[in-house]
Amino acid sequence: MMEAQARVRTCEGCGVTLQDRDVYSLKEKTFCHDCYLGAEQLGPYGDQYVECPHCGTILHKYTIVCFNCHNAIREVGKIQAESKNVGMRILIYIIALFVLVVLAVALGPMGIARGGSTARAVVLGILGPLVAALGGFRVSFPNLFIRRRYLGSLWGGIVGWILVSLGLLFVALLPFG
């Protein structure tokens, strides 16, 4: 008799007496089938579902596109991707900078040997690759400067090309003492 009374359970939602096979539990509470599923028959987590505004299909609230009508339910943040071949541009930029430094080191003594000033060779040998590197960075990676008022404009690009040309000119003037 004690065992039979222990198995008698009541629904905590509506108070109906439940058989063992009719018990639905959630967070250590017992419910009948109707109370467990709720009025919309979505279960205890029914607040996590929304209706598609286009076709009325019930979807999880984090769904982006309806699987029934294929329309967007909500918009996800805008994604901006860097343009293609960024790795290749970085590699070319580093190689070009290395070549400019090697040229400056190789051409500087030629200018000194022709009777040029050591100070002039050092200044041009340092400024040439440095100025070309600054301009080359702006020319190679323009997307980094989009939000900068001046550097992101057309004039910023022109200044970048002028700096590259000026740096190459400094390096080219090294052997001419």
Side-chain angles (χ1 to χ4, degrees):
M1 183 75 177
M2 295 286 268
E3 188 175 313
Q5 286 180 344
R7 289 184 174 213
V8 174
R9 298 183 190 176
T10 58
C11 173
E12 294 189 28
C14 63
V16 172
T17 303
L18 304 171
Q19 301 293 326
D20 281 340
R21 64 175 186 238
D22 297 331
V23 173
Y24 293 86
S25 62
L26 175 69
K27 298 180 184 176
E28 299 182 14
K29 294 182 180 180
T30 57
F31 298 98
C32 66
H33 179 265
D34 294 333
C35 291
Y36 182 78
L37 292 180
E40 295 179 7
Q41 298 293 310
L42 295 175
Y45 299 105
D47 60 334
Q48 293 185 4
Y49 293 92
V50 294
E51 190 174 293
C52 174
H54 306 285
C55 68
T57 304
I58 302 297
L59 305 166
H60 193 270
K61 67 181 179 181
Y62 294 121
T63 302
I64 297 169
V65 176
C66 177
F67 62 85
N68 187 33
C69 66
H70 305 290
N71 287 318
I73 304 303
R74 61 188 183 97
E75 190 168 322
V76 180
K78 183 179 176 185
I79 298 173
Q80 265 188 330
E82 183 70 23
S83 60
K84 295 180 182 180
N85 301 324
V86 174
M88 186 61 72
R89 283 190 279 158
I90 291 171
L91 183 63
I92 291 171
Y93 177 76
I94 291 172
I95 290 172
L97 184 59
F98 179 73
V99 167
L100 275 174
V101 170
V102 168
L103 277 174
V105 169
L107 295 177
M110 289 175 65
I112 295 171
R114 289 183 155 182
S117 163
T118 304
R120 180 180 176 275
V122 169
V123 169
L124 289 178
I126 292 172
L127 279 180
L130 184 63
V131 169
L134 290 173
F137 190 78
R138 167 56 182 92
V139 170
S140 299
F141 309 105
N143 290 343
L144 296 176
F145 301 101
I146 287 175
R147 295 180 188 246
R148 304 292 180 252
R149 183 175 176 197
Y150 178 73
L151 289 174
S153 68
L154 174 66
W155 293 109
I158 292 171
V159 168
W161 280 109
I162 291 172
L163 287 175
V164 168
S165 303
L166 193 61
L168 291 174
L169 179 66
F170 287 168
V171 172
L173 290 175
L174 275 171
F176 304 107

